[in-house]
Amino acid sequence: MPRYLFKIEEVVTRRGRPTVLITNRCVKDLPMKLHVGDAIELRPPHGEPITSRIGGIELTSPYNAADPYAFFLPRNVDVSDIQTGCEVFLLGTDTSDAS
């Protein structure tokens, strides 16, 4: 069953680099640990859900776990449908691995 993780606060794209999604939650507030390769679903406010995987995880400030964090999407994801306000859900993992 999908588990709600966070909303996207900002979408950052640069030519030749993966898309970066800035979240509205900090690492210490996540309900479980996330890993590169975890299956996720992005649900835009208007439009069809997008299924993908986490391509990378990065703290926006490596010195403060209370700051929001960012994660990368694989390069093959079409970012034109991803927008601020998309909700992100974790798909099909064991949720007993709490942070």
Side-chain angles (χ1 to χ4, degrees), residues 51-98:
T51 302
S52 187
R53 296 202 172 273
I54 295 175
I57 301 171
E58 183 174 285
L59 294 174
T60 56
S61 171
Y63 305 107
N64 188 354
D67 284 347
Y69 70 100
F71 70 95
F72 302 100
L73 293 177
R75 293 178 192 246
N76 63 348
V77 174
D78 181 7
V79 299
S80 63
D81 294 327
I82 301 170
Q83 55 197 274
T84 300
C86 278
E87 293 180 323
V88 180
F89 290 80
L90 186 65
L91 300 177
T93 63
D94 177 11
T95 58
S96 65
D97 187 17

Side-chain angles (χ1 to χ4, degrees), residues 1-67:
M1 180 165 167
R3 186 153 182 194
Y4 176 78
L5 294 175
F6 46 77
K7 280 190 178 184
I8 296 171
E9 290 291 312
E10 186 176 354
V11 179
V12 179
T13 58
R14 289 191 180 160
R15 187 176 14 185
R17 304 282 298 162
T19 298
V20 179
L21 304 177
I22 309 295
T23 70
N24 69 341
R25 288 182 103 169
C26 59
V27 173
K28 68 182 183 99
D29 291 336
L30 285 174
M32 77 283 301
K33 291 182 183 177
L34 297 178
H35 302 92
V36 172
D38 283 349
I40 57 171
E41 183 175 76
L42 296 106
R43 297 180 185 173
H46 308 288
E48 294 296 315
I50 301 162
T51 302
S52 187
R53 296 202 172 273
I54 295 175
I57 301 171
E58 183 174 285
L59 294 174
T60 56
S61 171
Y63 305 107
N64 188 354
D67 284 347

